[in-house]
Coordinates of all heavy atoms in Angstrom, one line a residue:
A1 N 16.2 -63.9 110.7 CA 16.7 -63.6 109.4 C 18.1 -64.1 109.0 O 18.4 -64.2 107.9 CB 16.6 -62.1 109.2
V2 N 18.9 -64.3 110.1 CA 20.3 -64.7 109.8 C 20.6 -66.1 110.4 O 21.7 -66.6 110.1 CB 21.2 -63.7 110.4 CG1 20.9 -62.3 110.0 CG2 21.3 -63.7 111.9
Q3 N 19.7 -66.7 111.0 CA 19.9 -68.0 111.6 C 20.4 -69.0 110.5 O 19.8 -69.1 109.4 CB 18.6 -68.5 112.2 CG 18.7 -69.9 112.8 CD 19.4 -69.9 114.2 OE1 19.1 -69.1 115.0 NE2 20.3 -70.8 114.4
G4 N 21.4 -69.7 110.8 CA 21.9 -70.7 109.8 C 22.9 -70.1 108.9 O 23.6 -70.8 108.1
R5 N 23.0 -68.8 108.8 CA 24.0 -68.1 107.9 C 25.1 -67.4 108.6 O 26.2 -67.3 108.1 CB 23.2 -67.1 107.0 CG 22.1 -67.8 106.1 CD 21.6 -66.8 105.1 NE 20.9 -65.6 105.7 CZ 21.2 -64.4 105.6 NH1 22.2 -64.0 104.8 NH2 20.5 -63.4 106.2
F6 N 24.8 -66.9 109.8 CA 25.8 -66.1 110.5 C 26.2 -66.9 111.8 O 25.4 -67.6 112.3 CB 25.1 -64.8 111.0 CG 24.8 -63.7 109.9 CD1 24.9 -64.1 108.6 CD2 24.5 -62.4 110.3 CE1 24.6 -63.1 107.6 CE2 24.3 -61.5 109.3 CZ 24.3 -61.8 108.0
T7 N 27.4 -66.6 112.2 CA 27.9 -67.2 113.4 C 28.6 -66.0 114.2 O 29.1 -65.1 113.6 CB 28.9 -68.3 113.3 OG1 30.0 -67.9 112.5 CG2 28.2 -69.5 112.6
I8 N 28.6 -66.2 115.5 CA 29.3 -65.2 116.4 C 30.3 -66.0 117.2 O 30.0 -67.1 117.7 CB 28.2 -64.5 117.3 CG1 29.0 -63.4 118.2 CG2 27.4 -65.4 118.1 CD1 28.0 -62.5 118.9
S9 N 31.5 -65.4 117.3 CA 32.5 -66.0 118.1 C 33.4 -64.9 118.8 O 33.2 -63.7 118.6 CB 33.4 -66.9 117.2 OG 34.0 -66.1 116.2
R10 N 34.3 -65.4 119.6 CA 35.1 -64.5 120.3 C 36.5 -65.1 120.5 O 36.7 -66.3 120.7 CB 34.6 -64.2 121.7 CG 35.4 -63.2 122.6 CD 34.9 -63.2 124.0 NE 35.4 -64.4 124.7 CZ 35.6 -64.5 126.0 NH1 35.3 -63.5 126.8 NH2 35.9 -65.7 126.6
D11 N 37.5 -64.2 120.4 CA 38.9 -64.6 120.7 C 39.3 -63.8 122.0 O 39.5 -62.6 122.0 CB 39.9 -64.2 119.6 CG 41.3 -64.7 119.9 OD1 41.7 -64.8 121.0 OD2 42.0 -64.9 118.9
S12 N 39.3 -64.6 123.1 CA 39.5 -63.9 124.4 C 40.9 -63.3 124.5 O 41.0 -62.3 125.2 CB 39.2 -64.9 125.6 OG 40.1 -66.0 125.5
R13 N 41.8 -63.9 123.9 CA 43.2 -63.4 124.0 C 43.3 -62.0 123.3 O 44.1 -61.2 123.7 CB 44.2 -64.3 123.3 CG 44.3 -65.7 124.0 CD 45.1 -66.7 123.2 NE 44.4 -66.8 121.9 CZ 44.9 -67.5 120.9 NH1 46.1 -68.1 121.0 NH2 44.2 -67.7 119.7
K14 N 42.5 -61.8 122.3 CA 42.5 -60.5 121.5 C 41.4 -59.6 122.0 O 41.3 -58.5 121.5 CB 42.4 -60.8 120.0 CG 43.6 -61.6 119.5 CD 43.4 -61.8 118.0 CE 44.5 -62.6 117.4 NZ 44.3 -62.8 115.9
N15 N 40.6 -60.1 122.9 CA 39.4 -59.3 123.3 C 38.6 -58.9 122.1 O 38.2 -57.7 122.1 CB 39.8 -58.2 124.2 CG 38.9 -58.1 125.4 OD1 38.1 -58.9 125.7 ND2 39.2 -57.0 126.2
T16 N 38.4 -59.8 121.2 CA 37.7 -59.4 119.9 C 36.6 -60.4 119.7 O 36.7 -61.6 119.9 CB 38.8 -59.5 118.8 OG1 39.8 -58.6 119.0 CG2 38.1 -59.3 117.4
A17 N 35.5 -59.8 119.2 CA 34.3 -60.6 118.8 C 34.2 -60.6 117.3 O 34.7 -59.6 116.7 CB 33.1 -60.1 119.4
Y18 N 33.7 -61.6 116.7 CA 33.6 -61.8 115.3 C 32.1 -62.1 114.9 O 31.4 -62.8 115.6 CB 34.5 -62.9 114.7 CG 35.9 -62.7 115.1 CD1 36.5 -63.3 116.2 CD2 36.8 -61.9 114.3 CE1 37.8 -63.1 116.5 CE2 38.1 -61.7 114.6 CZ 38.6 -62.3 115.7 OH 39.9 -62.1 116.1
L19 N 31.7 -61.6 113.8 CA 30.5 -62.0 113.2 C 30.8 -62.5 111.8 O 31.2 -61.7 110.9 CB 29.5 -60.8 113.1 CG 28.1 -61.2 112.5 CD1 27.3 -62.0 113.5 CD2 27.3 -59.9 112.2
Q20 N 30.7 -63.8 111.6 CA 30.9 -64.4 110.3 C 29.6 -64.5 109.6 O 28.6 -65.1 110.1 CB 31.5 -65.8 110.5 CG 31.7 -66.6 109.2 CD 32.8 -66.0 108.3 OE1 33.9 -65.6 108.8 NE2 32.5 -65.8 107.0
M21 N 29.6 -63.9 108.4 CA 28.3 -63.8 107.7 C 28.5 -64.5 106.4 O 29.4 -64.1 105.5 CB 28.0 -62.3 107.4 CG 27.9 -61.4 108.7 SD 27.4 -59.7 108.4 CE 28.8 -59.1 107.4
N22 N 27.7 -65.5 106.2 CA 27.8 -66.3 105.0 C 26.5 -66.2 104.2 O 25.4 -65.9 104.8 CB 28.1 -67.8 105.3 CG 29.4 -68.0 106.0 OD1 30.4 -67.3 105.7 ND2 29.4 -68.9 107.0
I23 N 26.5 -66.6 103.0 CA 25.3 -66.6 102.1 C 24.6 -65.3 102.2 O 23.4 -65.2 102.5 CB 24.4 -67.8 102.4 CG1 25.2 -69.1 102.7 CG2 23.4 -68.0 101.2 CD1 24.3 -70.3 103.1
L24 N 25.4 -64.2 102.0 CA 24.8 -62.9 102.2 C 23.8 -62.6 101.2 O 23.9 -63.1 100.0 CB 25.9 -61.9 102.2 CG 26.7 -61.8 103.5 CD1 28.1 -61.1 103.3 CD2 25.9 -61.1 104.6
K25 N 22.8 -61.8 101.6 CA 21.7 -61.5 100.7 C 21.6 -59.9 100.6 O 22.0 -59.2 101.6 CB 20.3 -62.0 101.3 CG 20.3 -63.5 101.6 CD 19.0 -63.9 102.2 CE 19.0 -65.4 102.5 NZ 17.7 -65.8 103.2
P26 N 21.0 -59.4 99.6 CA 20.9 -57.9 99.5 C 20.2 -57.3 100.7 O 20.5 -56.2 101.1 CB 20.1 -57.7 98.2 CG 20.4 -58.9 97.4 CD 20.6 -60.1 98.3
E27 N 19.3 -58.1 101.3 CA 18.6 -57.5 102.5 C 19.4 -57.5 103.7 O 19.0 -57.0 104.8 CB 17.3 -58.3 102.8 CG 17.5 -59.8 102.8 CD 17.1 -60.5 101.5 OE1 17.5 -60.0 100.4 OE2 16.5 -61.6 101.5
D28 N 20.6 -58.0 103.7 CA 21.6 -57.9 104.8 C 22.3 -56.6 104.7 O 23.1 -56.3 105.7 CB 22.6 -59.0 104.7 CG 22.0 -60.4 105.0 OD1 21.1 -60.5 105.9 OD2 22.4 -61.4 104.3
T29 N 22.1 -55.8 103.7 CA 22.8 -54.5 103.6 C 22.4 -53.6 104.7 O 21.2 -53.4 104.9 CB 22.4 -53.9 102.2 OG1 23.0 -54.7 101.1 CG2 23.0 -52.5 102.1
A30 N 23.4 -53.1 105.4 CA 23.1 -52.2 106.6 C 24.4 -51.8 107.2 O 25.5 -52.3 106.8 CB 22.3 -53.0 107.6
V31 N 24.3 -50.9 108.1 CA 25.5 -50.6 109.0 C 25.4 -51.5 110.2 O 24.4 -51.6 110.8 CB 25.5 -49.1 109.4 CG1 26.6 -48.8 110.4 CG2 25.6 -48.2 108.2
Y32 N 26.5 -52.2 110.4 CA 26.5 -53.2 111.5 C 27.3 -52.6 112.6 O 28.4 -52.0 112.5 CB 27.2 -54.5 111.0 CG 26.3 -55.3 110.1 CD1 25.9 -54.9 108.9 CD2 25.8 -56.5 110.6 CE1 25.1 -55.7 108.1 CE2 24.9 -57.3 109.8 CZ 24.6 -56.9 108.6 OH 23.7 -57.6 107.8
H33 N 26.7 -52.7 113.8 CA 27.3 -52.2 115.0 C 27.6 -53.4 116.0 O 26.6 -54.2 116.2 CB 26.5 -51.2 115.7 CG 26.3 -49.9 115.0 ND1 27.1 -48.8 115.1 CD2 25.3 -49.6 114.0 CE1 26.7 -47.9 114.3 NE2 25.6 -48.3 113.7
C34 N 28.7 -53.4 116.6 CA 28.9 -54.3 117.7 C 28.5 -53.6 119.0 O 28.6 -52.4 119.1 CB 30.3 -54.9 117.8 SG 31.6 -53.6 118.1
A35 N 28.1 -54.4 120.0 CA 27.8 -53.9 121.3 C 28.4 -54.8 122.3 O 28.5 -56.0 122.1 CB 26.2 -53.9 121.4
Y36 N 28.6 -54.2 123.5 CA 29.4 -55.0 124.5 C 28.8 -54.6 125.9 O 28.5 -53.5 126.2 CB 30.8 -54.6 124.4 CG 31.7 -55.2 125.6 CD1 32.2 -56.5 125.5 CD2 32.0 -54.5 126.7 CE1 32.9 -57.1 126.5 CE2 32.7 -55.0 127.7 CZ 33.2 -56.3 127.6 OH 34.0 -56.9 128.6
K37 N 28.8 -55.6 126.7 CA 28.4 -55.4 128.1 C 29.4 -56.1 129.0 O 29.8 -57.2 128.7 CB 27.0 -56.0 128.4 CG 26.5 -55.9 129.8 CD 26.0 -54.5 130.1 CE 25.4 -54.5 131.5 NZ 24.9 -53.1 131.8
N38 N 29.8 -55.4 130.1 CA 30.9 -55.9 130.9 C 30.3 -56.9 132.0 O 30.7 -56.9 133.1 CB 31.6 -54.8 131.7 CG 33.0 -54.7 131.3 OD1 33.6 -55.6 130.7 ND2 33.7 -53.6 131.6
S39 N 29.4 -57.7 131.6 CA 28.8 -58.7 132.4 C 27.9 -59.6 131.5 O 27.8 -59.4 130.3 CB 27.9 -58.1 133.5 OG 26.8 -57.4 132.9
R40 N 27.4 -60.7 132.1 CA 26.5 -61.6 131.3 C 25.1 -61.1 131.4 O 24.5 -61.1 132.5 CB 26.6 -63.0 131.9 CG 27.9 -63.7 131.5 CD 28.0 -65.0 132.3 NE 26.9 -65.9 132.0 CZ 26.9 -66.8 131.0 NH1 27.9 -66.9 130.2 NH2 25.8 -67.6 130.9
L41 N 24.6 -60.7 130.3 CA 23.1 -60.4 130.3 C 22.3 -61.7 130.3 O 22.8 -62.8 129.9 CB 22.8 -59.7 129.0 CG 23.3 -58.3 128.8 CD1 23.0 -57.7 127.4 CD2 22.8 -57.3 129.9
I42 N 21.1 -61.6 130.8 CA 20.3 -62.8 130.8 C 19.7 -63.0 129.4 O 19.7 -62.0 128.6 CB 19.2 -62.8 131.9 CG1 18.2 -61.6 131.6 CG2 19.8 -62.7 133.3 CD1 17.0 -61.6 132.6
L43 N 19.2 -64.1 129.1 CA 18.8 -64.5 127.7 C 17.8 -63.5 127.2 O 17.8 -63.0 126.1 CB 18.2 -65.9 127.7 CG 18.1 -66.6 126.4 CD1 19.4 -66.7 125.7 CD2 17.4 -68.0 126.6
S44 N 16.8 -63.1 128.0 CA 15.8 -62.2 127.6 C 16.3 -60.8 127.3 O 15.5 -60.0 126.8 CB 14.6 -62.2 128.6 OG 15.1 -61.7 129.9
E45 N 17.5 -60.5 127.7 CA 18.0 -59.1 127.6 C 18.8 -59.0 126.3 O 19.2 -57.8 125.9 CB 18.9 -58.7 128.8 CG 18.1 -58.6 130.1 CD 19.0 -58.4 131.3 OE1 20.1 -58.9 131.3 OE2 18.6 -57.6 132.2
L46 N 19.2 -60.1 125.7 CA 20.2 -60.0 124.6 C 19.7 -59.3 123.4 O 20.6 -58.6 122.7 CB 20.6 -61.5 124.2 CG 21.3 -62.3 125.2 CD1 21.6 -63.7 124.7 CD2 22.7 -61.6 125.6
R47 N 18.5 -59.3 123.1 CA 18.0 -58.7 121.8 C 17.7 -57.2 121.9 O 17.4 -56.5 120.9 CB 16.7 -59.4 121.4 CG 16.9 -60.9 121.1 CD 15.6 -61.6 120.8 NE 15.8 -63.0 120.5 CZ 16.0 -63.5 119.3 NH1 16.0 -62.8 118.3 NH2 16.2 -64.8 119.2

């Protein structure tokens, strides 16, 4: 639903992640939560 409109990035110096949301649609309305894991999840675990 967000492919091509949203990007995810990180600033390691600030220990901050970003979600850039472009071309927003009314159906994007929601409470957004960030989540963090202190290791690398495997691909199948990300969702």
Side-chain angles (χ1 to χ4, degrees):
V2 307
Q3 181 76 48
R5 300 188 295 122
F6 290 13
T7 59
I8 182 172
S9 61
R10 182 194 72 157
D11 185 333
S12 60
R13 297 168 300 173
K14 297 181 179 179
N15 226 3
T16 297
Y18 303 96
L19 183 69
Q20 178 67 44
M21 305 184 293
N22 299 325
I23 318 175
L24 282 161
K25 304 175 181 180
E27 50 264 43
D28 294 318
T29 295
V31 176
Y32 283 70
H33 295 268
C34 63
Y36 174 84
K37 179 75 173 179
N38 243 346
S39 63
R40 287 172 56 91
L41 292 172
I42 63 175
L43 198 60
S44 61
E45 294 175 324
L46 291 178
R47 297 175 183 265

